[in-house]
Amino acid sequence: MPKQPAEPCSECRARKRRCDGTFPECDRYRRYRGSPSRPSSASSRRELALLEQQLGELEDKYSKLMEATEQERKSATPLEPPYGHPPPEMRGEWWKANPMHPAIHSYLIEICFSPRNIKHFSFDPPSFFASLRSPDATVRLHPCLLAAMYLMGCLSTSELPASSPYSLVRHETYFLERARKGMEASLAYSDRLMDHLKASNVVVAYFSLRGRFLEGYHQHCGAARLAISCGLHRIPSGRYQAGWLPSVGEAVYLLDAPRNQEELTDRVMTFWNVYMWDKCGSILTGFASGFDEVADRVITPLPRPIEEYERGDLREADRETILDFLAVRDRKGSRADSDFSTNLKTIATYQRAKNLMSSAGSATPKAEAIGKLHQVVDSLLASLPPVPASNQGFIASAYMFAYAAVLEMTIDVGPGEEMYSKRIQAATHVAAILSGLDDTADARGCVIFGYCWSVTAQTLIQHGHHLKSHASSDVADNERHIGCVVSALERLGVTYPSMEFLVQQLKAMMMTTD
């Protein structure tokens, strides 16, 4: 009987090479340290053949999919960039250039100051743009601030698909690290500390937009203490006085006296930006605020409209501190607040309400503090102008934050209690404001809106259960309000994916009460 020829290994068979058939490894693999693939039995050979067949089929499918994808990619028209086409200099490893190419620099700065982003930080335009153009190295913007602004510019392209050639989100990690290293250098050498604080504000805004709240909290806590070390909380007036230093009669601070009105205005605006993000971080995380208005003796006046600083039209009657506001002091004869100041007041009120209700302490002092804060909210609501017909802008936001403060302070109030009607009115007012917002406006809103709307929806859901148990005719209106608030929260989740857990929490609550 003739000897059965040795079976070649799978690799030699696939490559159609002669195999000597030795087992367990052929001579070719022995010489080149290869790994043979030879079945040791008939059953193993059958299993191997089946696997090879399946692998071949998968490879064919993969090749066809890749060909189809390549054809689609070539035929598809990329989505247009929302801020204009990037400059042609954006090629190669452009992001590593230091300094950045002027055309790329201008493009990213323009994106950073787009309408979508500008709401996240207020600044003094003359001072900023003067620093941006200055040839003086000591006046020019610190690299940490430039990197932070490039970071925000990259984030702004996140509405494009990640595969889009115009998307810059893949560079966020690089610019974030560059901003952090720049802030470390600024602090180590006390170099342009105001730019350090501004960069910190931008980075905190970035963390908030990305839902990285704990990182943002850590960042703004450091910024809050630096602002105090610079004496920004002890500026007695928004009007420039030559030679004035906040260290007179106090500890020495890190900054020299401002040299002109622009520098003083810049310090006032920067301080209140740090303050705003500090309060926002406390709301988002539930942790303590980095500022204690009383213990830190904050006397810096609340910001006035930027035009008043530019014209030198600052009046003593308009001067107001955050402590004046919280004490409900009379402001007869004063002009209307700036939008920024109104926003600060309402966010600070909402933060104090959340912090007060979550804090431990004896019932009597806590009840007194709640009563005083109710007076602050009532005074604030009475001072606000009517909500504009468009329901957009700072005024609509101010109303929502103020009503959310009421909801937080009455969270334990049930039907039949004295404050219950005030609680329900606040919730329905928020729903009414939301019903006037267009879909794009609330989708691009502040992340803190999510917490305001969540407590609003919780209130309305609980109230709906009460209405159903009493067969009230108001059930349908209440359901409409709930749907309006939950829909707005879902749209907000498009911009802030971290809001999804609030939506799921509310839907579970709705199912429980049905």
Side-chain angles (χ1 to χ4, degrees), residues 191-497:
D191 180 16
R192 289 165 279 182
L193 294 178
M194 291 298 297
D195 285 354
H196 177 109
L197 290 170
K198 294 172 191 173
S200 181
N201 286 333
V202 177
V203 170
V204 172
Y206 167 79
F207 283 138
S208 298
L209 288 165
R210 280 299 186 201
R212 297 161 64 174
F213 302 142
L214 290 178
E215 291 175 272
Y217 179 82
H218 173 78
Q219 181 73 42
H220 76 68
C221 280
R225 302 329 293 173
L226 177 60
I228 288 176
S229 298
C230 291
L232 301 187
H233 64 309
R234 299 291 294 169
I235 300 175
S237 172
R239 189 189 298 274
Y240 173 68
Q241 300 175 24
W244 171 83
L245 273 174
S247 57
V248 177
E250 302 179 0
V252 176
Y253 295 111
L254 296 176
L255 294 179
D256 295 329
R259 293 172 294 183
N260 49 48
Q261 182 65 55
E262 282 186 358
E263 283 193 7
L264 179 61
T265 303
D266 186 49
R267 295 186 186 189
V268 172
M269 290 293 182
T270 301
F271 171 74
W272 287 114
N273 268 280
V274 175
Y275 180 92
M276 179 187 71
W277 281 113
D278 176 71
K279 299 304 176 184
C280 289
S282 177
I283 293 169
L284 294 171
T285 61
F287 298 154
S289 169
F291 285 111
D292 184 322
E293 293 84 355
V294 176
D296 292 325
R297 296 182 298 158
V298 177
I299 65 169
T300 300
L302 288 163
R304 299 294 305 163
I306 199 68
E307 298 80 11
E308 294 181 13
Y309 293 102
E310 293 174 352
R311 297 194 305 262
D313 185 21
L314 297 170
R315 306 173 189 176
E316 185 60 29
D318 297 331
R319 184 184 178 281
E320 182 185 23
T321 68
I322 192 68
L323 293 176
D324 292 335
F325 164 69
L326 295 173
V328 197
R329 291 177 183 163
D330 184 26
R331 294 187 63 210
K332 288 182 179 179
S334 62
R335 292 175 290 182
D337 290 332
S338 66
D339 289 342
F340 187 26
S341 180
T342 298
N343 204 34
L344 285 166
K345 290 179 178 181
T346 52
I347 289 178
T349 303
Y350 180 45
Q351 184 272 334
R352 289 178 80 87
K354 283 184 69 71
N355 183 65
L356 184 60
M357 297 309 294
S358 62
S359 62
S362 56
T364 302
K366 189 171 183 178
E368 292 176 353
I370 292 174
K372 290 180 180 179
L373 196 54
H374 269 295
Q375 294 177 11
V376 173
V377 175
D378 292 343
S379 175
L380 175 61
L381 287 169
S383 69
L384 293 176
V387 179
S390 63
N391 269 8
Q392 297 180 32
F394 282 99
I395 301 304
S397 302
Y399 273 104
M400 285 193 285
F401 286 135
Y403 287 132
V406 173
L407 295 175
E408 291 290 347
M409 291 187 290
T410 57
I411 202 164
D412 297 325
V413 175
E417 297 186 48
E418 182 181 355
M419 298 294 289
Y420 186 71
S421 61
K422 184 176 183 179
R423 175 174 175 80
I424 302 306
Q425 286 175 6
T428 53
H429 280 313
V430 173
I433 293 172
L434 283 175
S435 66
L437 286 172
D438 60 60
D439 294 353
T440 56
D442 53 33
R444 293 193 300 264
C446 173
V447 64
I448 304 177
F449 286 166
Y451 293 85
C452 296
W453 300 345
S454 176
V455 70
T456 300
Q458 289 176 36
T459 301
L460 293 172
I461 292 170
Q462 292 168 352
H463 183 55
H465 184 60
H466 169 70
L467 293 175
K468 289 177 182 178
S469 66
H470 289 75
S472 173
S473 59
D474 295 330
V475 171
D477 286 342
N478 191 71
E479 292 288 345
R480 179 170 51 82
H481 291 321
I482 293 172
C484 178
V485 178
V486 174
S487 295
L489 194 55
E490 288 176 328
R491 291 192 295 271
L492 190 68
V494 174
T495 303
Y496 306 100

Side-chain angles (χ1 to χ4, degrees), residues 127-196:
S127 174
F128 173 81
F129 289 110
S131 299
L132 201 59
R133 295 187 297 265
S134 176
D136 186 351
T138 61
V139 177
R140 280 201 308 265
L141 297 185
H142 193 279
C144 69
L145 180 53
L146 289 174
M149 297 174 76
Y150 298 155
L151 170 67
M152 187 61 77
C154 292
L155 172 66
S156 300
T157 65
S158 58
E159 58 194 63
L160 296 170
S163 59
S164 170
Y166 306 121
S167 174
L168 303 176
V169 294
R170 58 190 175 278
H171 303 307
E172 287 178 19
T173 302
Y174 176 81
F175 285 119
L176 176 60
E177 184 63 21
R178 194 156 144 180
R180 282 173 158 169
K181 288 182 178 179
M183 286 189 283
E184 290 177 4
S186 169
L187 194 59
Y189 296 100
S190 294
D191 180 16
R192 289 165 279 182
L193 294 178
M194 291 298 297
D195 285 354
H196 177 109

